[in-house]
Amino acid sequence: MQKNACDMGNLFSDLEGLRIAIDMEARGRDFYKKAYEQAKNQEHKDLFMFLMNEEIYHHEKFTALYNKLKENKDADASDYLFDQETSKYLTVLAEPHIFPKDKAAQTLPELNTIADILKAALQDEKDSILFYDALAKCAKFEEARTIFNQLKAEEQTHVVKLREMLDAWA
């Protein structure tokens, strides 16, 4: 039976989820920046710029929440436990699949068409939705759960926009 983050009980940390989400958003920003640079059509450039700015906004939002939760003196220390196994599990779950580190640097130039870039972005956004959904379900703090659910909803709008753009491109 496959283990998930929630099965790890109090080893799951909202902070750890936020840390990984911050990294995901930074990788997404880099991906969309590269896509923007490669796009020739102004409408595509505008969409990639919008998505890049969304990733920047999410990164800032997560960083602020991370810092706020980390500084919360009233919280029980065990709620912020950074268990090495949990950290590895969540990182392995997200890093190779959602805006992989190497995608912006190496793979994106191999995506020769806007359709290829859109398909890759669409898959990453779908994977982000699943990841944020899992984080929301496991979150201990309502504020973190709310943020994860908001980000999931925002990623869903990205999927719709990317799908519409891909359909128009085809």
Side-chain angles (χ1 to χ4, degrees):
M1 181 171 193
Q2 188 175 354
K3 197 181 221 187
N4 71 41
C6 293
D7 291 339
M8 294 183 190
N10 53 355
L11 295 181
F12 177 79
S13 164
D14 289 352
L15 278 176
E16 190 63 11
L18 286 167
R19 183 198 61 76
I20 292 167
I22 289 166
D23 291 345
M24 282 173 36
E25 298 301 327
R27 292 190 310 270
R29 174 202 60 217
D30 295 344
F31 175 83
Y32 289 124
K33 180 179 180 197
K34 192 65 134 171
Y36 171 83
E37 292 167 355
Q38 289 187 3
K40 305 285 187 247
N41 177 300
Q42 189 59 47
E43 183 181 350
H44 299 157
K45 287 180 99 53
D46 291 345
L47 176 65
F48 292 135
M49 178 61 72
F50 168 78
L51 292 169
M52 182 180 73
N53 287 332
E54 288 284 295
E55 301 299 320
I56 291 168
Y57 172 72
H58 295 167
H59 185 274
E60 291 170 356
K61 194 175 197 177
F62 275 142
T63 300
L65 181 57
Y66 177 90
N67 291 332
K68 181 179 177 182
L69 289 176
K70 191 173 179 183
E71 292 172 4
N72 186 349
K73 305 276 187 227
D74 298 330
D76 179 63
S78 68
D79 289 334
Y80 296 110
L81 182 63
F82 279 75
D83 175 79
Q84 189 172 11
E85 184 179 326
T86 303
S87 177
K88 276 197 255 184
Y89 170 79
L90 291 171
T91 300
V92 165
L93 182 65
E95 194 172 273
H97 303 291
I98 305 169
F99 298 113
K101 286 182 180 180
D102 294 340
K103 187 181 280 187
Q106 297 171 357
T107 309
L108 192 56
E110 295 170 11
L111 300 176
N112 296 318
T113 68
I114 294 297
D116 291 340
I117 293 169
L118 289 170
K119 287 175 187 172
L122 187 61
Q123 187 57 55
D124 287 335
E125 295 292 344
K126 288 178 179 179
D127 290 341
S128 294
I129 290 167
L130 295 174
F131 189 71
Y132 290 137
D133 185 58
L135 290 177
K137 287 177 181 171
C138 296
K140 289 187 171 107
F141 294 96
E142 190 57 38
E143 187 173 11
R145 182 179 292 99
T146 299
I147 295 291
F148 291 135
N149 280 323
Q150 287 172 348
L151 275 235
K152 182 177 98 173
E154 288 177 32
E155 302 297 8
Q156 288 169 328
T157 66
H158 296 170
V159 166
V160 169
K161 288 176 185 178
L162 289 165
R163 184 78 249 171
E164 288 171 353
M165 196 172 174
L166 186 58
D167 290 345
W169 188 260

